[in-house]
Amino acid sequence: MRLLRVATCNLNQWAMDFDTNLRNVKESIARAKAAGAAVRVGPELELTGYGCEDHFLEQDTAAHAWECLKDILSGGYTDGILCSIGMPVIFKSVRYNCQVFCLNSKIVMIRPKISLANDGNYREFRWFSAWTFKDALVDFQLPLDISEVTCQDTVPFGYGFIQFLDVSLAAETCEELFTANAPRIDLALNGVEVFVNASGSHHQLRKLSLRIDSMRNATLACGGVYMYANQQGCDGGRLYYDGCCCIAVNGDVVAQGSQFSLKDVEVLDALVDLDAVSSYRASVSSFREQASHRTNVPFVKVPYKLCKPFQSGMVPTGPVEVMYHRPEEEIAFGPSCWLWDYLRRSRASGFLLPLSGGADSSSVAAIVGCMCQLVVKDIENGDEQVKADAMRIGQYKDGEFPKDSRELAKRLFYTVYMGTENSSEGTRSRAKMLAEEIGSFHLDVPIDSIVSALLSLFERLTGKRPRYKVDGGSDTENLGLQNIQARIRMVLAFMMASLMPWVHNKSGFYLVLGSSNVDEGLRGYLTKYDCSSADINPIGSVSKQDLRAFLRWAAVHLHYSSLAEVEAAPPTAELEPIRADYNQLDEVDMGMTYEELSIYGRLRKIFRCGPVSMFQNLCHRWCGTLSPSEVADKVKHFFKYYAINRHKMTVLTPSYHAESYSPEDNRFDLRQFLYNARWPYQFRKIDELVQDMDKDGKWVNSTEGELRRRKGVRSAEGGGMGVVAVGSANPSAGS
């Protein structure tokens, strides 16, 4: 029996912070050695941090990575343990994303990435080239200072595996786990038993199962040991890398790390039986046949043993049940950890949130409250780094530290209700109640006097005073009056964030939190430069439907009971006067429900539908519920306002990425922001299709009663498909 103890890790790296990154790498190696591991794998580009982006184009970045590697090699960290260390490497003037394998203060091999990630949030081809030569390993000339430490002039570079005396090992890097023609297939057929994957994979709702299934299936089909390492945390951008380092053997997960954590370093180890891998492969006839006429893969011979012989008491690690968080838990824990990293690394003193008492801002408040709960819990569990950060941010003195989440929130979280004459007592009381449950420092600030002052100034300049539509004003007046209120709130929020610490004799500044959701961004149902404009937004890529489910969950599990009342209230901007016969509602304003918006968003982004293909798809989906002409009206209505408001995405507050149909314009959803909002060609094609379908006569139309129901005014329960008429007013769709 060949027994091998292996270790993988989650590391909370920070792009371009070489001190932090090097410290975490060293700590992970030390912990792996202490556990008796013979192999350690770390995350992708761990020395630099994955999110360096255009900093990768700077020669300094690669040079500093080599300097950090020299520190590791000269410090004896790799003595007795094979370490895969991720860093950029320049070879013959071409930059590659590499894993550098080190053992006993020498470099065994450098493995460049073969398949680069270049979609969604990833732009690796902008900074790196893929290694395409698979026939042979080539010599890489080491930098002089590295050569002096290792006493090596050149080392093998390229695609291949490492053959030790008792085990063969090879690498995959992140994206290669998910490719159709994965490197591990040929490697497994060449006898490779252990695969290490250095990854930089971000969190996305409901995505973890894809990753876990890929690892399981990789070792189920080919056998072997699969070690997966990942970054964990906010490394300086919109993404949260969600860890979950894993070790899988022959289709079973035998070790799983945390998905969400405040820890900087988490190391996971397992004792694996390599003879079980050989036995598994030999039992599969098709594997034996394919391996017998394989394509040979180049390899490096290393005269060194990594395995241990069987001894009494040494038991291979058995399978574990994989832990998956519910989407509501993902919304709670992912953005909470992201906010904590952003807070401590920005050196800010806390957060300020305009808390309206509605679902979106209440969700953000609950996430900050969850963050405070996680911090206190980790301090209770003995995490000294979290404790030190909390003491600094909360400005504790004389050895005091946070012991209660509400007390911590009072120190680092301001909430502000900025009401007007259009605000209801219901939202005001819900905001106050939630603030008390979380523990934030809460202010109730009436802004009517500021609104009145601006309107008086406008009247003096123009001789006219705008009126709301319910009072006889035009759509233009109505929209302008709403935008004034919204933009005043933004200005006031930033003023208070900069000055309130001074008022309370604290140092530093507060970060303003935004609270617009992904559906509002997609539809453009927000005022440009209102409270959607902030420093960061933890829910900007979360759908309204998921947020409402989160509120119901948080009311129970975070013990913020007022959230149940928030969730039950109909969504409203409260920017227009409340009358006996009129109450502003979001879905009526938008002319579509949040459920419909989520459908449109997924079809537009995930299924890559333009207006015509979306119409065709929805005709099948809504067959028997809506007629073709009604589907056409809805699709046209969505694309019209999507086009009109796309410009707002160019200034959207940096948001936590959580949803696959996010319209975020910076890097994820790259499209123009000036459209012909009439879509003349596409809409004409839709009209032609409607005519053809009407002539065909096979379409099952809705019943007359169903039509009346759908065209009715949205009830307080609301949310169903089609309950809002397309021709509704649209007061928040403007500038």
Side-chain angles (χ1 to χ4, degrees), residues 607-636:
F607 295 96
R608 300 164 295 281
C609 287
V612 176
S613 54
M614 184 181 291
F615 165 76
Q616 293 170 321
N617 186 293
L618 290 176
C619 278
H620 292 288
R621 182 184 293 230
W622 291 342
C623 177
T625 306
L626 296 176
S627 68
S629 61
E630 290 173 310
V631 175
D633 287 343
K634 285 182 173 293
V635 170
K636 291 177 184 178

Short mmCIF file of all heavy atoms in Angstrom, two decimals, residues 607-636:
data_model
loop_
_atom_site.label_atom_id
_atom_site.label_comp_id
_atom_site.label_asym_id
_atom_site.label_seq_id
_atom_site.Cartn_x
_atom_site.Cartn_y
_atom_site.Cartn_z
N PHE A 607 -28.64 32.95 -22.37
CA PHE A 607 -29.01 32.25 -23.60
C PHE A 607 -28.77 33.10 -24.84
O PHE A 607 -29.16 32.72 -25.95
CB PHE A 607 -30.47 31.80 -23.52
CG PHE A 607 -30.71 30.78 -22.44
CD1 PHE A 607 -31.17 31.16 -21.19
CD2 PHE A 607 -30.43 29.45 -22.65
CE1 PHE A 607 -31.37 30.23 -20.18
CE2 PHE A 607 -30.63 28.50 -21.66
CZ PHE A 607 -31.10 28.90 -20.42
N ARG A 608 -28.18 34.29 -24.65
CA ARG A 608 -27.72 35.13 -25.75
C ARG A 608 -28.84 35.45 -26.74
O ARG A 608 -28.66 35.35 -27.96
CB ARG A 608 -26.53 34.47 -26.46
CG ARG A 608 -25.34 34.23 -25.56
CD ARG A 608 -24.35 33.25 -26.14
NE ARG A 608 -24.91 31.93 -26.26
CZ ARG A 608 -25.04 31.06 -25.26
NH1 ARG A 608 -24.63 31.39 -24.04
NH2 ARG A 608 -25.59 29.88 -25.46
N CYS A 609 -29.99 35.84 -26.23
CA CYS A 609 -31.15 36.15 -27.07
C CYS A 609 -31.22 37.64 -27.37
O CYS A 609 -31.14 38.47 -26.47
CB CYS A 609 -32.44 35.73 -26.37
SG CYS A 609 -32.72 33.96 -26.31
N GLY A 610 -31.39 37.97 -28.65
CA GLY A 610 -31.78 39.30 -29.04
C GLY A 610 -33.29 39.41 -29.00
O GLY A 610 -33.99 38.47 -28.59
N PRO A 611 -33.86 40.53 -29.45
CA PRO A 611 -35.32 40.71 -29.38
C PRO A 611 -36.09 39.60 -30.09
O PRO A 611 -37.08 39.09 -29.55
CB PRO A 611 -35.54 42.07 -30.05
CG PRO A 611 -34.26 42.81 -29.82
CD PRO A 611 -33.19 41.77 -29.89
N VAL A 612 -35.68 39.20 -31.29
CA VAL A 612 -36.44 38.22 -32.07
C VAL A 612 -36.39 36.84 -31.41
O VAL A 612 -37.42 36.18 -31.22
CB VAL A 612 -35.93 38.15 -33.52
CG1 VAL A 612 -36.67 37.06 -34.29
CG2 VAL A 612 -36.12 39.50 -34.21
N SER A 613 -35.19 36.38 -31.06
CA SER A 613 -35.08 35.04 -30.46
C SER A 613 -35.71 35.02 -29.07
O SER A 613 -36.25 33.98 -28.65
CB SER A 613 -33.62 34.59 -30.40
OG SER A 613 -32.82 35.55 -29.74
N MET A 614 -35.70 36.14 -28.33
CA MET A 614 -36.39 36.18 -27.05
C MET A 614 -37.89 36.05 -27.25
O MET A 614 -38.57 35.33 -26.51
CB MET A 614 -36.08 37.47 -26.28
CG MET A 614 -36.71 37.50 -24.88
SD MET A 614 -36.39 39.01 -23.95
CE MET A 614 -34.63 38.84 -23.62
N PHE A 615 -38.41 36.74 -28.26
CA PHE A 615 -39.84 36.63 -28.57
C PHE A 615 -40.21 35.19 -28.88
O PHE A 615 -41.20 34.64 -28.37
CB PHE A 615 -40.19 37.54 -29.74
CG PHE A 615 -41.53 37.24 -30.37
CD1 PHE A 615 -42.70 37.62 -29.75
CD2 PHE A 615 -41.60 36.56 -31.58
CE1 PHE A 615 -43.93 37.33 -30.31
CE2 PHE A 615 -42.83 36.26 -32.16
CZ PHE A 615 -44.00 36.64 -31.52
N GLN A 616 -39.42 34.53 -29.71
CA GLN A 616 -39.71 33.15 -30.09
C GLN A 616 -39.66 32.22 -28.88
O GLN A 616 -40.50 31.34 -28.71
CB GLN A 616 -38.73 32.69 -31.17
CG GLN A 616 -38.90 33.41 -32.50
CD GLN A 616 -37.77 33.11 -33.47
OE1 GLN A 616 -36.61 33.01 -33.08
NE2 GLN A 616 -38.10 32.98 -34.75
N ASN A 617 -38.66 32.42 -28.03
CA ASN A 617 -38.53 31.59 -26.83
C ASN A 617 -39.73 31.77 -25.90
O ASN A 617 -40.29 30.79 -25.39
CB ASN A 617 -37.22 31.95 -26.11
CG ASN A 617 -36.92 31.03 -24.94
OD1 ASN A 617 -37.62 31.03 -23.95
ND2 ASN A 617 -35.84 30.28 -25.06
N LEU A 618 -40.13 33.03 -25.70
CA LEU A 618 -41.22 33.30 -24.77
C LEU A 618 -42.57 32.88 -25.34
O LEU A 618 -43.50 32.58 -24.57
CB LEU A 618 -41.23 34.78 -24.40
CG LEU A 618 -40.06 35.24 -23.52
CD1 LEU A 618 -40.12 36.74 -23.29
CD2 LEU A 618 -40.06 34.49 -22.19
N CYS A 619 -42.70 32.86 -26.63
CA CYS A 619 -43.93 32.35 -27.22
C CYS A 619 -44.15 30.89 -26.82
O CYS A 619 -45.27 30.47 -26.53
CB CYS A 619 -43.89 32.47 -28.74
SG CYS A 619 -44.32 34.11 -29.36
N HIS A 620 -43.09 30.11 -26.80
CA HIS A 620 -43.20 28.72 -26.37
C HIS A 620 -43.39 28.63 -24.86
O HIS A 620 -44.22 27.87 -24.38
CB HIS A 620 -41.95 27.94 -26.79
CG HIS A 620 -41.82 27.75 -28.27
ND1 HIS A 620 -42.63 26.90 -28.98
CD2 HIS A 620 -40.98 28.31 -29.18
CE1 HIS A 620 -42.30 26.94 -30.27
NE2 HIS A 620 -41.30 27.79 -30.41
N ARG A 621 -42.65 29.45 -24.12
CA ARG A 621 -42.72 29.39 -22.65
C ARG A 621 -44.09 29.83 -22.14
O ARG A 621 -44.61 29.26 -21.19
CB ARG A 621 -41.63 30.28 -22.06
CG ARG A 621 -41.58 30.27 -20.53
CD ARG A 621 -40.55 31.25 -20.01
NE ARG A 621 -39.21 30.83 -20.37
CZ ARG A 621 -38.20 30.74 -19.51
NH1 ARG A 621 -38.41 31.03 -18.24
NH2 ARG A 621 -37.01 30.39 -19.91
N TRP A 622 -44.67 30.84 -22.76
CA TRP A 622 -45.93 31.40 -22.29
C TRP A 622 -47.13 30.99 -23.15
O TRP A 622 -48.18 31.62 -23.11
CB TRP A 622 -45.83 32.93 -22.24
CG TRP A 622 -44.90 33.41 -21.17
CD1 TRP A 622 -44.44 32.72 -20.09
CD2 TRP A 622 -44.28 34.71 -21.08
NE1 TRP A 622 -43.59 33.48 -19.33
CE2 TRP A 622 -43.47 34.72 -19.91
CE3 TRP A 622 -44.33 35.86 -21.87
CZ2 TRP A 622 -42.74 35.82 -19.51
CZ3 TRP A 622 -43.60 36.97 -21.46
CH2 TRP A 622 -42.81 36.95 -20.30
N CYS A 623 -46.93 29.93 -23.93
CA CYS A 623 -48.02 29.43 -24.77
C CYS A 623 -49.22 29.06 -23.89
O CYS A 623 -49.09 28.37 -22.89
CB CYS A 623 -47.55 28.21 -25.55
SG CYS A 623 -48.83 27.44 -26.56
N GLY A 624 -50.42 29.53 -24.29
CA GLY A 624 -51.62 29.25 -23.52
C GLY A 624 -51.88 30.26 -22.44
O GLY A 624 -52.95 30.26 -21.82
N THR A 625 -50.93 31.14 -22.17
CA THR A 625 -51.10 32.18 -21.16
C THR A 625 -51.18 33.55 -21.80
O THR A 625 -51.99 34.39 -21.39
CB THR A 625 -49.92 32.15 -20.16
OG1 THR A 625 -49.80 30.83 -19.63
CG2 THR A 625 -50.15 33.14 -19.03
N LEU A 626 -50.34 33.78 -22.80
CA LEU A 626 -50.35 35.05 -23.52
C LEU A 626 -50.41 34.78 -25.02
O LEU A 626 -49.86 33.80 -25.51
CB LEU A 626 -49.08 35.86 -23.20
CG LEU A 626 -48.86 36.34 -21.77
CD1 LEU A 626 -47.52 37.02 -21.65
CD2 LEU A 626 -49.97 37.29 -21.34
N SER A 627 -51.05 35.68 -25.73
CA SER A 627 -51.09 35.58 -27.19
C SER A 627 -49.77 36.08 -27.77
O SER A 627 -49.01 36.78 -27.10
CB SER A 627 -52.24 36.42 -27.74
OG SER A 627 -51.97 37.81 -27.53
N PRO A 628 -49.46 35.74 -29.03
CA PRO A 628 -48.22 36.22 -29.64
C PRO A 628 -48.09 37.74 -29.61
O PRO A 628 -46.99 38.26 -29.37
CB PRO A 628 -48.31 35.69 -31.08
CG PRO A 628 -49.17 34.49 -30.99
CD PRO A 628 -50.18 34.79 -29.92
N SER A 629 -49.17 38.46 -29.84
CA SER A 629 -49.08 39.93 -29.84
C SER A 629 -48.78 40.46 -28.44
O SER A 629 -48.06 41.46 -28.29
CB SER A 629 -50.39 40.54 -30.36
OG SER A 629 -51.48 40.17 -29.53
N GLU A 630 -49.30 39.77 -27.41
CA GLU A 630 -48.99 40.21 -26.04
C GLU A 630 -47.53 39.93 -25.68
O GLU A 630 -46.87 40.75 -25.03
CB GLU A 630 -49.93 39.50 -25.06
CG GLU A 630 -51.37 39.96 -25.15
CD GLU A 630 -52.29 39.13 -24.29
OE1 GLU A 630 -52.24 37.89 -24.37
OE2 GLU A 630 -53.05 39.73 -23.52
N VAL A 631 -47.06 38.77 -26.10
CA VAL A 631 -45.64 38.46 -25.88
C VAL A 631 -44.78 39.49 -26.60
O VAL A 631 -43.78 40.00 -26.06
CB VAL A 631 -45.31 37.04 -26.36
CG1 VAL A 631 -43.80 36.78 -26.24
CG2 VAL A 631 -46.08 36.00 -25.57
N ALA A 632 -45.15 39.82 -27.82
CA ALA A 632 -44.39 40.81 -28.60
C ALA A 632 -44.36 42.15 -27.88
O ALA A 632 -43.32 42.81 -27.81
CB ALA A 632 -45.00 40.96 -29.99
N ASP A 633 -45.51 42.58 -27.34
CA ASP A 633 -45.56 43.86 -26.62
C ASP A 633 -44.62 43.85 -25.42
O ASP A 633 -43.93 44.85 -25.15
CB ASP A 633 -46.98 44.14 -26.15
CG ASP A 633 -47.91 44.53 -27.30
OD1 ASP A 633 -47.39 44.88 -28.38
OD2 ASP A 633 -49.14 44.47 -27.12
N LYS A 634 -44.59 42.75 -24.70
CA LYS A 634 -43.73 42.67 -23.51
C LYS A 634 -42.25 42.69 -23.89
O LYS A 634 -41.44 43.38 -23.26
CB LYS A 634 -44.07 41.41 -22.70
CG LYS A 634 -45.38 41.52 -21.92
CD LYS A 634 -45.64 40.27 -21.12
CE LYS A 634 -46.85 40.47 -20.21
NZ LYS A 634 -46.61 41.46 -19.14
N VAL A 635 -41.90 41.93 -24.92
CA VAL A 635 -40.50 41.90 -25.35
C VAL A 635 -40.06 43.27 -25.85
O VAL A 635 -38.97 43.76 -25.52
CB VAL A 635 -40.30 40.83 -26.44
CG1 VAL A 635 -38.91 40.94 -27.06
CG2 VAL A 635 -40.50 39.43 -25.86
N LYS A 636 -40.90 43.92 -26.63
CA LYS A 636 -40.57 45.26 -27.13
C LYS A 636 -40.43 46.25 -25.98
O LYS A 636 -39.53 47.11 -25.97
CB LYS A 636 -41.64 45.75 -28.10
CG LYS A 636 -41.69 45.01 -29.43
CD LYS A 636 -42.85 45.55 -30.27
CE LYS A 636 -43.01 44.80 -31.57
NZ LYS A 636 -44.17 45.31 -32.35
#
